[in-house]
Every structure is written in C-alpha cells, then in structure tokens.
Amino acid sequence: MSTEKKSKEDKGILEVAALENGTAIDHIPSEQLFKVAQLLELQKEKSRITIGNNLHSGKMRRKGIIKIADRFFEEHEISRIALIAPNVVLNVIRDYEVVEKKKVHLPDEIIDIIKCNNPRCITNNEPMASHFSLIDRENVTVKCRYCERKTGKDDIIIK
C-alpha cells in the first residue's frame, strides 16, 4: 500500500466527477449557481447533471460548476447565462477531453428572457415578449425597449 500523500491539486480533481461527453459550465459565481441552473431549465434535463458549489478557485476564491452529460448548448442558450454570470466558461467535452472552450457573451438584444422591473410597463400588463437592449456590457445594464427603464445586473429578474 502506498503511503504517499496526495497533493492539494490531486484532491481538487476529485471534487467533481469526470464527464465523458457533454458540457461543463465553469467559473460560475457561487451566489449565481442556482440562477444559472434555473435559467437553463436544468430541472427538465433528462441527462446526468453534477452540480458543485463553493469549490476553491484561484481566480474567484470560490465558484460553482455544472456538468451535464451528453448535452451541448446552442449560442442563444449560453448567451442567456451571461446576464447573471458574465465570466462563465463552457467546456465542451468529448471522450473525457476538453475539445472546445467558450466564453459567454452578452447579446445586444435580450428578448423574452427577463422581466421588466416597471410594474406599469406594457410587457407586465399585456401578453407580449419583453425586449431589452444592452446599454452597458461591463456592468451588465439593460434598458426596456417599451418603457425605457434601465435595470442593473443585481436587479434583473429572470422570467
């Protein structure tokens, strides 16, 4: 039996199980992890999902990660994540190897994803899609097309 001790790096690898094929969503701020899961409607997912939260991160101190077996996201799906977690990295995995890394990017127009914070806005009183324009990419600020109310990242309400 080997008596050698495992390094911190070796132990960290074991925190979340390996994925044969699918997508690993990494560098999710811990406080946003479950919002990302909700936004991606993971409760409807039939594939195996592994969620880790408050994991050690050199860049962020602590982070969340979501691994979804046999699921690969379209650009419009991953751009939604950027609303609440703009620095997320998506790792596309095939045969246990990362074959592609994608940074999420905020779209210029956000349609029917978030709710307007103005209770008098037409989108909250009529059956119609909300429509926001991105006005500040760095601070994640959007503006409603209909009532022109500006909403910052911390006040965004996902539909």
Side-chain angles (χ1 to χ4, degrees), residues 91-106:
N91 296 304
V92 176
I93 300 168
R94 298 194 192 278
D95 295 321
Y96 297 102
E97 297 289 328
V98 175
V99 296
E100 184 180 2
K101 284 184 177 263
K102 297 179 183 179
K103 289 278 288 169
V104 297
H105 299 285
L106 279 168

Side-chain angles (χ1 to χ4, degrees), residues 78-121:
I78 62 173
S79 64
R80 297 169 56 155
I81 299 169
L83 284 166
I84 54 174
N87 297 313
V88 163
V89 175
L90 269 75
N91 296 304
V92 176
I93 300 168
R94 298 194 192 278
D95 295 321
Y96 297 102
E97 297 289 328
V98 175
V99 296
E100 184 180 2
K101 284 184 177 263
K102 297 179 183 179
K103 289 278 288 169
V104 297
H105 299 285
L106 279 168
D108 292 329
E109 301 293 319
I110 300 124
I111 301 169
D112 211 24
I113 296 172
I114 58 180
K115 182 180 186 228
C116 185
N117 289 354
N118 179 358
R120 299 177 80 187
C121 182

Side-chain angles (χ1 to χ4, degrees), residues 142-153:
V142 296
K143 183 170 89 172
C144 179
R145 169 187 262 183
Y146 301 103
C147 73
E148 298 189 355
R149 175 164 292 183
K150 294 177 184 176
T151 305
K153 176 183 168 186

Side-chain angles (χ1 to χ4, degrees), residues 27-66:
H27 300 291
I28 305 168
S30 289
E31 62 277 0
Q32 301 295 347
L33 177 71
F34 294 102
K35 285 184 183 179
V36 170
Q38 177 188 10
L39 190 62
L40 294 173
E41 299 181 326
L42 296 183
Q43 71 277 10
K44 297 178 183 177
E45 186 63 49
K46 302 297 183 208
S47 298
R48 186 183 73 232
I49 300 171
T50 304
I51 296 177
N53 200 16
N54 295 319
L55 303 173
H56 173 72
S57 169
K59 292 180 184 178
M60 306 169 64
R61 290 189 19 223
R62 59 188 185 95
K63 68 177 181 177
I65 187 169
I66 300 172

